[in-house]
């Protein structure tokens, strides 16, 4: 089946079969594909917290209260749940880590090119600090690219997924101690296999007409 057909069939799963688990090899491949997500200037400003055990999923579910309570069962019945986190800031230590990794991966022909790359990274980060004034918004935008990559990849592998943006960020940060890591939670993603009781699986896909979302620039 081609990619277009697969994306026409994928949807946000509303109920999971808790007895069905993603094979470990397939899950590790999903992680490998997330790691390959592109980002602006290759900044990679993300971290992914993984919950496999029920106790770990329960910690995430603690943030799904009040108006968000309807999302708790998705997490608790999933095979795996990920919390996509974004860096709240980019400091010099992290830029040096990136530069060192790129050097280890053989991206520089000499020391001068490595130093030029490091200066370029510093300039971009300074731009978002000073001109844009909200570097955490920039980092979170990059993290959502990884979300799109995961949703598409999961669909290709026949794995159901649910991105969850409704959660109590303060509680989730406390549960996972994200503040101490310089991270904020951006989105939760439940992964697994749909339950027969999932009403959304039987509904037709709905999207705005092409004329509403595409315009050719003259």
């Amino acid at each position: 089946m081609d990619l277009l057909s697969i994306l026409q069939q994928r949807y946000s799963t509303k109920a999971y079969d808790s007895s069905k688990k993603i094979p470990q090899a397939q899950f590790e491949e999903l992680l490998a594909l997330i790691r390959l997500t592109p980002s602006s200037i290759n900044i990679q400003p993300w971290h992914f917290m993984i919950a496999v055990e029920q106790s770990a999923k329960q910690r995430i579910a603690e943030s799904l209260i009040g108006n968000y309570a309807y999302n708790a069962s998705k997490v608790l019945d999933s095979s795996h749940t990920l919390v996509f986190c974004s860096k709240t800031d980019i400091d010099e230590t992290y830029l040096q880590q990136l530069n060192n990794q790129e050097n280890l991966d053989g991206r520089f022909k000499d020391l001068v090119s490595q130093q030029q790359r490091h200066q370029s990274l510093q300039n971009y980060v300074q731009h978002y600090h000073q001109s844009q004034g909200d570097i955490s918004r920039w980092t979170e935008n990059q993290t959502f690219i990884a979300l799109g990559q995961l949703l598409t990849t999961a669909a290709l592998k026949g794995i159901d997924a649910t991105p969850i943006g409704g959660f109590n960020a303060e509680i989730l940060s406390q549960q996972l101690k994200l503040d101490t890591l310089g991270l904020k939670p951006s989105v939760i993603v439940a992964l697994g296999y749909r339950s027969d009781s999932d009403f959304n699986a039987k509904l037709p896909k709905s999207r705005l007409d092409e004329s509403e979302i595409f315009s050719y620039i003259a």
Side-chain angles (χ1 to χ4, degrees):
M1 187 180 293
D2 64 279
L3 178 58
L4 179 58
S5 297
I6 290 171
L7 294 182
Q8 286 171 334
Q9 293 181 16
R10 76 149 300 279
Y11 70 101
S12 291
T13 302
K14 304 302 183 183
Y16 285 90
D17 185 338
S18 61
S19 69
K20 296 181 179 179
K21 303 300 180 184
I22 301 170
Q24 184 62 23
Q26 274 201 322
F27 182 69
E28 289 177 359
E29 189 171 1
L30 285 181
L31 296 184
L33 291 164
I34 293 174
R35 182 169 171 264
L36 292 173
T37 297
S39 60
S40 174
I41 62 168
N42 198 31
I43 196 68
Q44 305 168 69
W46 44 54
H47 191 85
F48 307 97
M49 310 292 280
I50 303 165
V52 182
E53 300 300 327
Q54 205 63 25
S55 58
K57 287 183 276 188
Q58 182 61 51
R59 291 176 64 192
I60 296 172
E62 293 294 325
S63 70
L64 302 172
I65 58 174
N67 292 334
Y68 311 128
Y70 67 95
N71 282 321
S73 61
K74 302 180 183 73
V75 169
L76 295 172
D77 293 337
S78 70
S79 171
H80 297 64
T81 289
L82 278 66
V83 180
F84 282 50
C85 303
S86 307
K87 286 185 172 294
T88 56
D89 196 7
I90 302 294
D91 60 18
E92 179 60 26
T93 299
Y94 183 67
L95 292 183
Q96 190 62 59
Q97 180 185 352
L98 282 176
N99 193 253
N100 290 341
Q101 186 62 55
E102 290 185 342
N103 185 47
L104 288 172
D105 291 334
R107 292 183 61 84
F108 306 121
K109 63 181 180 180
D110 52 34
L111 181 59
V112 172
S113 61
Q114 182 179 2
Q115 291 172 336
Q116 289 174 337
R117 165 62 174 164
H118 188 67
Q119 183 64 57
S120 177
L121 288 172
Q122 290 176 320
N123 291 342
Y124 270 101
V125 170
Q126 183 180 38
H127 168 72
Y128 281 101
H129 266 136
Q130 297 180 355
S131 300
Q132 299 297 319
D134 187 2
I135 198 166
S136 67
R137 181 180 179 184
W138 174 57
T139 63
E140 191 164 54
N141 285 343
Q142 308 313 308
T143 300
F144 276 99
I145 299 173
L147 172 63
Q149 185 132 321
L150 173 60
L151 296 181
T152 299
T153 301
L156 284 168
K157 295 185 172 299
I159 296 170
D160 294 313
T162 311
I164 300 171
F167 55 87
N168 186 303
E170 182 178 355
I171 292 175
L172 188 55
S173 294
Q174 290 173 350
Q175 283 289 328
L176 305 182
K177 297 181 172 57
L178 298 182
D179 289 344
T180 64
L181 301 172
L183 299 170
K184 68 176 182 179
S186 295
V187 65
I188 298 169
V189 184
L191 296 167
Y193 301 99
R194 69 193 70 171
S195 166
D196 291 338
S197 64
D198 185 359
F199 71 91
N200 205 28
K202 302 175 179 65
L203 297 178
K205 187 176 287 292
S206 177
R207 292 293 187 273
L208 291 171
D209 188 77
E210 291 181 5
S211 64
E212 296 291 331
I213 63 171
F214 299 121
S215 296
Y216 286 91
I217 301 172

